[in-house]
Amino acid sequence: MVTTYLEKESTEQTIQTTVQLHMEHILKVHNLEIFYGEKRAVNGISMDIEKNSITALIGPSGCGKSTFLRSVNRMNDLIPGARAQGEIIYEDLNILSKQINVVALRKEIGMVFQKPNPFPKSIYENITHALKFSGLKKKSQLDELVEESLQKAALWDEVKDRLHKSALSLSGGQQQRLCIARTIAMKPTVMLLDEPSSALDPISNAKVEDLIVELKKDYSIIIVTHNMQQASRISDKTAFFLSGDLIEYDATEKIFTNPSVKKTEEYISGRFG
Amino acid sequence: MSARANFDNNLKELKEMLLEMAHKSEQAMKESMVALLNQDMDKAKKVIDGDNEIDDMEDAINNKALLLIARESPVATDLRKISVALKVSSEVERLADIAVNIAKSTLQIGNEEYFKDIIDIPKMMGMALEMVSESITAYYSEDIEIAKKCAEKDDAVDNMFGDLIQELLSYIPKNPNATNQIIQLSFVCRFIERIADHSTNIAENVVYLVTGKRINLNE
């Protein structure tokens, strides 16, 4: 009896290992440490981020998940005293290296924040602002990109007749999808989402979640969320952070049904945090 | 107060409801066997009438479990506790149905004198009831070892079932007037064999509850 059980388990493991071997990684994080002055906020974590999948980062406030997220497109550079060590390998380059052109990097690794932050300009200009800045001037091309990115962000039908109205006239949920469209317009490969729907009502939240799942066909997505249901609904893999350490990183299904570490279970079941 | 104390209390209550239901089902099975052996028609009817109460208990457990899923968004062990309570309550409800089936066979046989002493059937019932008791203890204490110990007995009950059926059927040619009771007693043997199967299912659910892994203890 027991031997049959063990055999079954090892077959399962073999299948899992085989699947992992065939998974392509868009980012490889190795021994990443992040400091704010003297304080170490991330303690040497290593993890591979899969291509065209959604990776959720969860953990209580101050666990280092947002710090980690921001380091992926060097947003921490803007914080005085912040520094990072270790490696985040993207297309054979270490993102943390001084030689990296941060502006170019952020085109490829875009970010959407917790609170929708459209520019106080028209919907159209919100999308075209960065495109123009990067040298694209032709109106027909800009028009095309505006439509394409608004379509992808599932916002086109709602705003196509008022593209030149202020973005601030949109609802919170629409504003957030506009911010996602703005990121999409830059044709990134990775999208970093920092609690993108925590400020939204349930319907807008559901729209943004559906959109994120749709977007993984074209992009690799890393999302920080405090909403356990959201992490379990939309992500493929989940990483649990605690006090700057990566405690557990596994398939979302495994994390939410049978996590290996007791602390993970206590956190996801709401026993602390 | 610990985080989610209310939820923890509700999970505890769910478990207690199920233990209470299991206790009632065990009682019903024991009573049904006593009724069969003593040809006690009143007792058999009481077992049949008592089944409604057990069905209601199952409904209450199901309602509470679904409400907890809807309200508390359980994950991991919490989720397994609830899903296992749903599964085990359904097994326990089947156990109570088996008590009813045995009682119905008792009524079918009626007061017609047994063609021979009934010795092995209560023995087999004793083994099956031990498995029930162990599987419920395993559930109560979340103990895999007890669960495995319970399941190991299933083969013995199966073997005894095979032997008893053969023996019973071999009596028919010599006792043609007792055909009805022999058939009913054969049914009873089959019912008891199912008790052992349901206990094994409960034991497997205990293993899943504790480890998160589904295994077949019946192989």
Side-chain angles (χ1 to χ4, degrees):
Chain A
M1 246 159 11
V2 176
T3 47
T4 333
Y5 168 45
L6 288 176
E7 274 166 22
K8 257 189 200 164
E9 192 173 48
S10 67
T11 319
E12 261 174 41
Q13 271 172 356
T14 318
I15 293 169
Q16 228 173 30
T17 318
T18 319
V19 169
Q20 274 165 4
L21 284 174
H22 285 89
M23 195 57 87
E24 239 184 298
H25 295 122
I26 187 88
L27 294 168
K28 287 173 187 276
V29 181
H30 184 64
N31 210 14
L32 175 69
E33 288 181 290
I34 304 173
F35 298 84
Y36 293 121
E38 290 301 302
K39 194 189 173 306
R40 191 163 65 168
V42 172
N43 307 329
I45 63 160
S46 297
M47 64 192 288
D48 293 339
I49 305 289
E50 286 165 11
K51 200 174 174 183
N52 293 113
S53 77
I54 301 171
T55 303
L57 311 181
I58 60 168
S61 300
C63 68
K65 59 189 189 302
S66 292
T67 300
F68 166 61
L69 189 79
R70 285 198 304 268
S71 70
V72 179
N73 75 345
R74 298 272 298 266
M75 291 297 279
N76 288 332
D77 288 11
L78 306 170
I79 301 170
R83 65 193 165 88
Q85 287 172 7
E87 288 180 333
I88 303 176
I89 304 295
Y90 169 71
E91 293 188 344
D92 298 326
L93 292 171
N94 184 2
I95 285 172
L96 303 176
S97 144
K98 285 201 174 76
Q99 283 78 44
I100 291 286
N101 175 342
V102 175
V103 174
L105 174 74
R106 289 181 191 149
K107 269 196 216 167
E108 297 205 22
I109 302 182
M111 192 159 194
V112 176
F113 299 87
Q114 180 177 4
K115 274 195 186 161
N117 55 353
F119 306 128
K121 292 168 175 281
S122 72
I123 295 166
Y124 184 91
E125 285 168 311
N126 261 273
I127 309 276
T128 57
H129 186 73
L131 295 169
K132 281 181 181 167
F133 187 75
S134 63
L136 194 65
K137 299 272 188 262
K138 212 174 159 194
K139 191 177 176 297
S140 60
Q141 270 183 325
L142 289 171
D143 286 352
E144 206 175 298
L145 268 169
V146 166
E147 178 168 352
E148 187 191 322
S149 34
L150 287 170
Q151 289 274 16
K152 280 194 176 169
L155 189 60
W156 175 251
D157 289 341
E158 291 164 55
V159 300
K160 63 180 181 215
D161 300 325
R162 47 172 171 151
L163 290 176
H164 298 284
K165 294 262 164 61
S166 167
L168 301 178
S169 67
L170 298 174
S171 74
Q174 288 172 326
Q175 287 185 13
Q176 193 63 308
R177 279 179 284 146
L178 177 62
C179 293
I180 292 173
R182 194 171 64 184
T183 308
I184 291 172
M186 299 306 291
K187 303 209 178 283
T189 51
V190 180
M191 290 180 76
L192 309 174
L193 311 176
D194 194 354
E195 294 185 56
S197 60
S198 62
L200 305 182
D201 65 87
I203 297 291
S204 305
N205 174 52
K207 281 187 183 169
V208 169
E209 281 187 8
D210 285 351
L211 169 61
I212 294 169
V213 172
E214 190 61 28
L215 291 177
K216 80 169 175 177
K217 284 182 201 150
D218 300 316
Y219 313 98
S220 306
I221 294 163
I222 309 178
I223 177 171
V224 162
T225 178
H226 279 287
N227 181 340
M228 293 303 105
Q229 292 298 303
Q230 179 170 70
S232 66
R233 266 194 301 267
I234 67 173
S235 73
D236 300 292
K237 292 194 86 172
T238 298
F240 171 54
F241 285 72
L242 185 63
S243 310
D245 291 315
L246 176 60
I247 303 294
E248 190 168 353
Y249 179 41
D250 212 330
T252 296
E253 190 183 320
K254 171 87 168 64
I255 295 278
F256 283 92
T257 56
N258 198 13
S260 305
V261 184
K262 193 160 177 269
K263 272 285 167 205
T264 312
E265 164 124 22
E266 286 174 355
Y267 179 71
I268 59 166
S269 65
R271 260 59 179 208
F272 82 95
Chain B
M1 201 168 80
S2 72
R4 303 201 86 175
N6 186 39
F7 180 35
D8 288 336
N9 283 339
N10 273 302
L11 286 175
K12 205 170 142 217
E13 267 176 42
L14 186 70
K15 188 172 182 175
E16 280 161 5
M17 285 164 80
L18 184 45
L19 291 171
E20 170 77 13
M21 182 187 171
H23 176 69
K24 293 250 185 223
S25 294
E26 266 185 287
Q27 280 304 113
M29 286 182 285
K30 281 179 193 161
E31 299 280 304
S32 73
M33 187 49 45
V34 173
L36 177 85
L37 295 176
N38 297 338
Q39 298 191 288
D40 184 337
M41 302 305 134
D42 288 341
K43 207 182 250 309
K45 280 177 196 152
K46 263 191 193 161
V47 170
I48 295 167
D49 292 342
D51 192 47
N52 282 341
E53 191 191 351
I54 296 173
D55 288 347
D56 290 347
M57 290 172 104
E58 191 201 10
D59 288 345
I61 288 166
N62 286 349
N63 289 341
K64 190 174 180 77
L66 290 184
L67 196 63
L68 285 178
I69 292 172
R71 278 187 183 159
E72 304 283 357
S73 305
V75 293
T77 306
D78 295 335
L79 183 58
R80 293 206 298 278
K81 278 183 181 169
I82 297 175
S83 81
V84 164
L86 284 168
K87 298 265 259 180
V88 171
S89 69
S90 147
E91 299 291 344
V92 171
E93 192 272 331
R94 296 292 300 132
L95 289 175
D97 286 348
I98 287 173
V100 169
N101 290 340
I102 294 173
K104 282 181 178 167
S105 285
T106 302
L107 295 182
Q108 284 289 327
I109 295 168
N111 290 317
E112 179 190 322
E113 199 182 332
Y114 284 131
F115 75 101
K116 72 179 279 291
D117 289 342
I118 312 285
I119 296 163
D120 286 335
I121 289 179
K123 264 193 205 161
M124 185 180 169
M125 185 65 161
M127 286 164 73
L129 285 175
E130 203 176 297
M131 287 178 68
V132 172
S133 167
E134 276 176 352
S135 68
I136 296 301
T137 307
Y139 171 70
Y140 170 72
S141 49
E142 298 181 6
D143 188 325
I144 307 179
E145 292 313 312
I146 301 178
K148 285 180 179 164
K149 208 173 124 198
C150 159
E152 275 165 15
K153 291 180 179 148
D154 192 36
D155 286 347
V157 176
D158 285 348
N159 291 340
M160 196 163 183
F161 169 62
D163 294 346
L164 274 179
I165 287 291
Q166 262 193 337
E167 189 189 329
L168 279 166
L169 296 182
S170 73
Y171 288 129
I172 294 179
K174 285 179 202 158
N175 305 276
N177 294 337
T179 305
N180 174 49
Q181 61 171 267
I182 289 173
I183 288 172
Q184 290 303 332
L185 291 173
S186 304
F187 283 161
V188 170
C189 290
R190 168 74 180 146
F191 297 146
I192 298 173
E193 189 267 332
R194 292 299 297 152
I195 293 176
D197 289 345
H198 289 298
S199 304
T200 307
N201 291 346
I202 294 172
E204 284 169 354
N205 273 292
V206 172
V207 175
Y208 174 67
L209 169 65
V210 178
T211 65
K213 289 176 179 139
R214 298 189 194 280
I215 63 167
N216 190 351
L217 291 173
N218 221 347
E219 279 176 325

